[in-house]
Amino acid sequence: NAGVTQTPKFQVLKTGQSMTLQCAQDMNHNSMYWYRQDPGMGLRLIYYSASEGTTDKGEVPNGYNVSRLNKREFSLRLESAAPSQTSVYFCASSDYGYTFGSGTRLTVV
Amino acid sequence: QKEVEQNSGPLSVPEGAIASLNCTYSDRGSQSFFWYRQYSGKSPELIMSIYSNGDKEDGRFTAQLNKASQYVSLLIRDSQPSDSATYLCALISSGSARQLTFGSGTQLTVLP
């Protein structure tokens, strides 16, 4: 009964480093999402995937890329991390209601 | 103008009181509205959804929707210290293919 699993939970990067945030869901949902949450900003949509094989930009896509590897997995990649990407990242999946992962706390120094 | 506006608070109420959380939105075509609760350091969890004008009650929670005024609210009756959290208003905009747009959240503290 895992729901949405995100890895890693914490990460510290140096400016310019790259990394991939992993997300997997076991609820057979078609749609998956990546959000970032900054203090006082709520959650902002980075990218989403309405179904396997499709991805689309959200509100704040610059500096990120995504891959919908299969129906279960949706990864978020930072090619060259910047301090402005310090945030908490949430993956979510939905069939009708949203289920969120536990989040990744990323610090870029 | 932000698509979803919430008073950031903080809002403090005494235990047992009614907490009232408010949200306004700009897209008149929005059809689906949600309230999420987020404890500090945790992920958001859905507590209420509402789609039609009027009130929807679930236990101590009541969601209210007024599409003409573009206004959504959440009432928490008999507030408990365990209700202390940030409450996020969210909606699905018209033509958005079911992406949620969130407000910035209202921090609620229930004082024992």
Side-chain angles (χ1 to χ4, degrees), chain A residues 31 33 35 37 40-45 48 50 57 59 90 94-103 105, chain B residues 2 32 34 36 38 40-46 51 86 88 92 96-105:
Chain A
S31 300
Y33 311 84
Y35 285 86
Q37 186 173 33
M41 300 289 289
L43 283 88
R44 293 183 292 168
L45 184 64
Y48 67 97
K57 295 178 180 180
E59 180 185 355
F90 288 103
S94 77
D95 190 359
Y96 192 72
Y98 273 49
T99 301
F100 285 88
S102 57
R105 284 147 184 79
Chain B
K2 281 187 180 178
S32 305
F34 307 86
Y36 283 80
Q38 187 176 26
S40 180
K42 301 295 185 182
S43 56
E45 56 177 329
L46 179 67
Y51 310 106
T86 296
L88 299 164
I92 296 175
S96 71
R98 297 199 56 75
Q99 299 99 291
L100 279 178
T101 299
F102 286 86
S104 57

Side-chain angles (χ1 to χ4, degrees), chain A residues 78-93:
Chain A
L78 287 70
E79 291 291 352
S80 179
S84 60
Q85 294 178 305
T86 293
S87 189
V88 180
Y89 291 85
F90 288 103
C91 176
S93 71

